[in-house]
């Protein structure tokens, strides 16, 4: 089956131009994210090719399980640490498979900010927080108490 887009006369470089503003039926020029290739050779089994995302997802699943089993602080810290580990893997490894979503910089910032926020919030959780930030306590005093 051959799909033809509406084209016009060639431009200055000799390439035909599209005359319609509609998108083509098949996208041919979408690039994978940087580092979005396989993390292991193509002849390796599927789980081995995607070990970075499986590592992060396994750690998050374990953290969710711990949280469900009423070990809240340890579980949420594990979830945040898994995202931080994903940021480190995205920074250090040339190919991370499905862990790559956007550009390397965007992935690293997203994983780092979310992971760091989860860890900080887990450390601040009541009762008996392990981390106290004074200006947040003052803000809470004026808004809630």
């Amino acid at each position: 089956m051959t799909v033809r887009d509406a084209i016009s006369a060639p431009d200055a470089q000799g390439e035909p131009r599209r005359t319609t503003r509609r998108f083509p039926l098949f996208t041919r020029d979408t690039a994978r994210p940087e580092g979005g290739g396989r993390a292991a050779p193509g002849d390796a089994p599927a789980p081995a090719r995607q070990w970075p995302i499986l590592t992060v997802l396994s750690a998050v699943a374990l953290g969710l399980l711990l949280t469900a089993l009423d070990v809240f602080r340890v579980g949420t810290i594990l979830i945040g640490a898994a995202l931080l580990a994903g940021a480190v893997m995205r920074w250090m490894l040339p190919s991370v498979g499905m862990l790559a979503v956007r550009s390397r910089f965007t992935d690293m910032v997203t994983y780092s900010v979310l992971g760091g926020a989860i860890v900080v919030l887990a450390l601040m959780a009541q009762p008996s927080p392990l981390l106290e930030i004074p200006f947040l306590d003052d803000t809470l005093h004026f808004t809630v108490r």
Side-chain angles (χ1 to χ4, degrees):
M1 175 177 140
T2 303
V3 177
R4 294 186 51 99
D5 293 326
I7 56 174
S8 68
D11 61 8
Q13 287 79 26
E15 296 291 325
R17 289 184 297 179
R18 296 180 59 225
T19 59
T20 179
R21 293 180 63 189
R22 293 184 182 191
F23 291 106
L25 292 177
F26 297 102
T27 304
R28 296 182 205 93
D29 57 353
T30 301
R32 283 191 311 207
E34 176 188 346
R38 296 180 175 131
D43 57 351
R49 290 193 308 260
Q50 297 299 332
W51 69 267
I53 189 76
L54 291 175
T55 302
V56 172
L57 289 177
S58 299
V60 168
L62 180 61
L64 289 173
L65 179 65
L66 289 173
T67 303
L69 294 175
D70 211 21
V71 189
F72 172 76
R73 193 179 313 267
V74 174
T76 51
I77 287 174
L78 184 60
I79 292 169
L83 290 173
L84 292 172
V88 170
M89 282 191 274
R90 189 68 175 102
W91 175 48
M92 296 189 73
L93 299 175
S95 183
V96 290
M98 290 174 59
L99 190 62
V101 178
R102 299 286 180 195
S103 70
R104 185 177 306 267
F105 176 78
T106 303
D107 286 344
M108 286 178 5
V109 168
T110 303
Y111 293 143
S112 299
V113 168
L114 291 176
I118 290 171
V119 168
V120 167
L121 290 173
L123 292 173
M124 293 174 59
Q126 297 290 335
S128 64
L130 299 175
L131 176 66
E132 293 186 23
I133 301 177
F135 75 88
L136 289 179
D137 191 40
D138 294 339
T139 305
L140 186 65
H141 175 72
F142 288 115
T143 59
V144 177
R145 294 183 189 163

